[in-house]
Amino acid sequence: MPDRPRRSSWAVIATEDKAFDQAMVQHMASRIGADITDVPGSHALFITQAEIVADVIATAAHSAATVAAEIGVR
């Protein structure tokens, strides 16, 4: 089976989240080679740290658009 190209990944990890084991979340993000942003906060970061989450989404979108332009995807 041929190797698939690596897809860029991002993870915003709430360092005070009690819903998930922090070591597991960090391991999973590292395993996929994600660009990890650790943020102090609980499970609802998208509400409490919306600007940081939005910045990571914007970075990911810009990166995807750049790659698409480089390979000629419209």
Side-chain angles (χ1 to χ4, degrees), residues 18-68:
K18 304 296 185 213
F20 299 100
D21 177 66
Q22 288 297 305
M24 177 203 59
V25 174
Q26 291 286 343
H27 172 74
M28 289 172 39
S30 294
R31 185 174 175 193
I32 63 169
D35 181 359
I36 300 170
T37 301
D38 290 315
V39 182
S42 64
H43 191 69
L45 279 183
F46 63 96
I47 295 170
T48 62
Q49 301 286 347
E51 187 172 336
I52 294 170
V53 174
D55 287 346
V56 172
I57 292 169
T59 298
H62 176 69
S63 177
T66 301
V67 169

